[in-house]
Amino acid sequence: MFTTSRRDFLRITGAAGALSALSLSGCQSKARVVVIGGGFGGATAAKYVKWFDPSIDVTLIDASKTYTTCPFSNLVLGGIRSLASITHNFDAQAGRGVNVVNDMVTGVDTAKQIVMTKGGAKIPYDRLIMSPGIDFKYDTIEGYDATVAEAIPHAWKAGTQTAILRQQLEAMPDGGTVIIAPPPNPFRCPPGPYERASMIAYYLKMAKPKSKLLILDSKDKFSKQGLFQEGWALHYKDIIEWVPASKDGKVRRVDAASKTFHTEFTAHKGDVLNYIPAQKAADIAFKAGLTNQLGWCPVHFQTFESTLVKNVHVIGDASIATKMPKSGNAANTQAKVCAAAVADLLNGREPGTPTTTNTCYSLITKDYGISVTAVYKQSDKGYMPVAGAGGLSPKGEGPEFRQLEAKYARGWYANIAQDIWG
Amino acid sequence: MGLKTTLKVCLGTAFTVFAISATSVSAHAEGKMASPQLLVSNCFNCHGYMGDSAGVIDELSSLPERRIVKKMVDFKSGEKPSTIMSRIAKGYSDSEIEAMAKYLAAANAK
C-alpha cells in the first residue's frame, strides 16, 4: 500500500512538528523556510515553496550571485554555447518575494534550527531545504587535488573550471590528444562524461581534425552507452576511443607535471587532461550531520526530509533518491515534491503522494541528440520508474529523429532554466 | 474523504497491482493520487513554468483542458507520433491526466 497513513504522517512530522504547525496557525507569525544552494534543486525549491504557499517566509542562501549550470556546459567545451548563456541569477526568486542572501553557509545548528554564514548571519528556520550538490573524494586518487585541478580541470562544477578546460582545448595543437577520466558510480550526471567526449570530439573534428580523444574509464558500462556508441561510430570513428576498466582503463595516479594518467599497466600522456574525481555530498552536508557512511544523504522519500536530522530536507545530487539519477532535472522535480511537502507540513496537512520525472538529453553533435526519460512514483522501495513508461530513445533512428532530439534538448534547456531562474 | 473510505480505496487499488518488480512500479500502483498542482509541475521542466514555453517545445498554457487530455491520451496510445512524449505519457494514469489538464487550464485561464 502506497498511501501515507495517519500514523505515518505523525511519524513523519513528529509530535514537535505537529505542535509547531498548530502553534504557527494559532498566531500571526509566518513559517520560515530556509533554502541552501541556488542550483537546480535549491532555486526551484525556493520558487516553488512560494508557489505552493505564498504566505511562507522563504530565504535562499548562495555564496555566489550567479549560478552556472553543468547541463549545457559540455556545449561550451564544444564551442557552440557561451558560458554567459548558461549563467543565471536569482532575480526571479527575489521578484517572487524570496529573501535572497548572498553569503557562504559555514554551519547549521540543527538543534536550535539556525543556519550560520561566513558574514556572521544567524538565520532561523522551521524547515531547512538543502541542495548543496557534490564535492570530490580527492583522497581516492594519487596526485590529484583542488590545487592540481587548476592545471588539470575536473570541470564537474561549471564556471571557471569549464573556462580553463575550453582554453586548453583552444590552445592545443592539431594532432594532440585529449584524455577524459570519468568517475566511478555514483556521480553527478551519469551520461555527462560521454556527452563531454562527444562535444569535445565535435570541436576537434571541426578545428583540429588530426587530434584524438581517449576515455580512460573506471567503469565497464555507462549511461546511454548503446546510443553514444552508435553516434560515435557515425561521427567520431577516428577520434574517440573508450577504454573500460576491465581493459586497464581505470586511472590510478595523475602526474600533473608530465600531463600523464597512469593506469595499472600503462602511462597515457596527453595534451589536455580532464580528470573527474569520485564524488560525495558537499561538505556542508557532512557538517550538518546529514550523511551516511557512503558520504550521501539518506531521506524519507515522501518529503525528502533527512532520516538523520529532523526538519532538514535534502534534495538533488547530495540526496539518495534510489532509482532517480543525480541530475539537474531530477533535482528540479525533487525540489517540487519537497516544496509541496514542506508547505503541507507547515500547514498541518498530510503531504501528497510524490511523483517525479527525469528527462535527460545528451548531444553527440550540434544536430544529433539522444535522450532517456522516466516517470517515478514513490513505493516502499523508494523512487521507482513506472513500468512500461520511460526509457531510452530508440537506436537505429535516422538523422531527422536525432535532429529533433537535438532541437528538443535546446528547448528543454531554455524551459527548465525559465522554470527555475525565470 | 474519511480514513475508512481512504482505506477502502487503497485496498481496492492494491488488488489491481499484480506485478510490481523490484525495479519498477505500475502506473496504477499509487494508493492516493498526488495533488494536481504537484503532478502538473512535472510538466514545467520541459514545457516551461505554467506551460508557457520559450519556444521549440509545445506551449501548454494556451491549450484548453480537453485539448491537453486528447494530446496526452494520443501520446499514451501511440496514435500521435513523438520522440519522447509517448514514453512520458505512459507513466500517467487517465485520472492523473484529467486532473493535470483541469488544473493547468483553469490556472492559466485566471
Side-chain angles (χ1 to χ4, degrees):
Chain A
M1 195 175 297
F2 303 107
T3 189
T4 304
S5 68
R6 199 156 297 222
R7 193 184 57 207
D8 283 342
F9 173 61
L10 286 174
R11 184 174 52 74
I12 290 163
T13 56
L19 279 175
S20 73
L22 283 174
S23 63
L24 280 166
S25 60
C27 69
Q28 292 301 308
S29 79
K30 286 180 173 179
R32 297 157 305 181
V33 171
V34 174
V35 182
I36 300 176
F40 281 81
T44 304
K47 180 172 170 177
Y48 275 82
V49 169
K50 280 281 184 194
W51 192 58
F52 286 109
D53 184 352
S55 77
I56 294 173
D57 183 62
V58 181
T59 300
L60 172 65
I61 314 173
D62 196 286
S64 174
K65 285 185 175 167
T66 58
Y67 182 82
T68 303
T69 63
C70 283
F72 271 38
S73 67
N74 287 329
L75 281 65
V76 174
L77 300 175
I80 57 177
R81 285 290 284 237
S82 67
L83 262 181
S85 78
I86 60 165
T87 301
H88 308 278
N89 60 41
F90 311 119
D91 289 355
Q93 277 70 21
R96 286 166 196 278
V98 172
N99 317 306
V100 177
V101 175
N102 178 219
D103 203 344
M104 183 181 283
V105 173
T106 50
V108 181
D109 184 334
T110 56
K112 290 184 182 155
Q113 301 192 188
I114 290 170
V115 176
M116 285 88 75
T117 72
K118 197 177 175 185
K122 292 184 191 305
I123 306 171
Y125 63 84
D126 296 304
R127 292 265 165 188
L128 174 63
I129 302 174
M130 290 181 57
S131 192
I134 54 144
D135 273 330
F136 301 111
K137 290 177 169 173
Y138 287 123
D139 56 349
T140 61
I141 178 76
E142 192 186 335
Y144 195 80
D145 59 23
T147 311
V148 176
E150 289 168 24
I152 297 174
H154 51 73
W156 219 241
K157 292 183 183 183
T160 311
Q161 279 280 306
T162 317
I164 295 172
L165 186 51
R166 174 65 192 167
Q167 281 155 13
Q168 292 181 352
L169 291 167
E170 284 173 348
M172 188 183 86
D174 190 6
T177 301
V178 179
I179 313 179
I180 300 175
N185 292 321
F187 63 99
R188 159 178 284 179
C189 190
Y194 312 96
E195 183 193 57
R196 171 168 295 177
S198 309
M199 282 289 101
I200 292 177
Y202 179 79
Y203 168 71
L204 296 177
K205 193 176 174 177
M206 299 267 192
K208 292 157 190 184
K210 292 180 207 149
S211 308
K212 300 280 180 206
L213 189 149
L214 186 63
I215 305 169
L216 294 177
D217 214 329
S218 49
K219 304 180 294 302
D220 282 333
K221 55 182 185 175
F222 58 88
S223 172
K224 300 180 189 164
Q225 185 170 349
L227 288 167
F228 273 114
Q229 288 178 327
E230 185 179 64
W232 292 347
L234 272 173
H235 294 281
Y236 309 124
K237 198 157 57 75
D238 301 324
I239 299 176
I240 296 180
E241 184 191 349
W242 174 65
V243 186
S246 59
K247 297 200 170 149
D248 194 32
K250 185 178 167 60
V251 173
R252 288 157 195 271
R253 183 163 65 87
V254 177
D255 183 351
S258 66
K259 288 190 185 174
T260 306
F261 281 153
H262 293 271
T263 62
E264 190 173 7
F265 300 112
T266 316
H268 298 271
K269 193 172 158 50
D271 296 280
V272 175
L273 267 53
N274 173 213
Y275 186 80
I276 309 168
Q279 294 159 32
K280 59 183 177 180
D283 185 50
I284 191 68
F286 285 81
K287 281 185 182 161
L290 299 164
T291 50
N292 68 8
Q293 71 283 6
L294 298 172
W296 301 101
C297 305
V299 293
H300 292 293
F301 303 117
Q302 183 96 12
T303 58
F304 283 90
E305 184 170 0
S306 167
T307 59
L308 304 173
V309 182
K310 276 198 179 307
N311 300 321
V312 180
H313 302 248
V314 187
I315 54 175
D317 295 346
S319 73
I320 301 170
T322 43
K323 290 284 177 186
M324 293 195 79
K326 297 187 185 302
S327 77
N329 199 135
N332 168 270
T333 62
Q334 289 167 8
K336 290 165 180 172
V337 168
C338 180
V342 162
D344 283 339
L345 291 168
L346 290 171
N347 283 289
R349 294 188 302 254
E350 185 178 338
T353 307
T355 173
T356 59
T357 56
N358 184 52
T359 295
C360 168
Y361 287 101
S362 303
L363 287 182
I364 290 178
T365 77
K366 188 165 166 280
D367 299 309
Y368 188 112
I370 58 177
S371 69
V372 65
T373 188
V375 179
Y376 300 90
K377 289 196 190 297
Q378 189 211 0
S379 78
D380 53 354
K381 294 183 180 70
Y383 283 91
M384 293 290 162
V386 175
L392 295 156
S393 50
K395 274 177 81 177
E397 287 287 349
E400 260 179 43
F401 191 98
R402 295 293 165 221
Q403 196 166 3
L404 269 177
E405 291 226 283
K407 192 177 121 179
Y408 290 143
R410 289 189 286 275
W412 167 83
Y413 187 85
N415 281 343
I416 198 165
Q418 179 240 43
D419 186 30
I420 302 170
W421 299 283
Chain B
M1 192 182 282
L3 193 58
K4 274 186 183 170
T5 323
T6 313
L7 207 59
K8 265 187 203 163
V9 172
C10 294
L11 285 170
T13 313
F15 282 117
T16 67
V17 178
F18 49 90
I20 303 170
S21 75
T23 54
S24 65
V25 293
S26 151
H28 304 281
E30 78 280 16
K32 190 186 122 208
M33 201 173 75
S35 79
Q37 196 178 3
L38 177 57
L39 275 172
V40 86
S41 71
N42 278 300
C43 308
F44 301 166
N45 42 322
C46 291
H47 290 272
Y49 180 66
M50 295 307 285
D52 196 10
S53 177
V56 183
I57 294 175
D58 282 1
E59 183 182 86
L60 306 177
S61 53
S62 58
L63 299 181
E65 181 185 338
R66 286 295 107 199
R67 184 90 191 96
I68 300 173
V69 171
K70 173 92 170 77
K71 281 180 119 176
M72 282 294 277
V73 168
D74 289 351
F75 279 132
K76 200 174 161 182
S77 69
E79 194 168 309
K80 191 171 164 63
S82 67
T83 55
I84 199 166
M85 272 314 296
S86 154
R87 285 180 270 159
I88 294 170
K90 285 180 179 131
Y92 292 93
S93 68
D94 291 349
S95 51
E96 285 174 327
I97 290 171
E98 299 266 349
M100 285 192 281
K102 189 175 178 183
Y103 179 87
L104 190 62
N108 280 318
K110 275 179 195 168

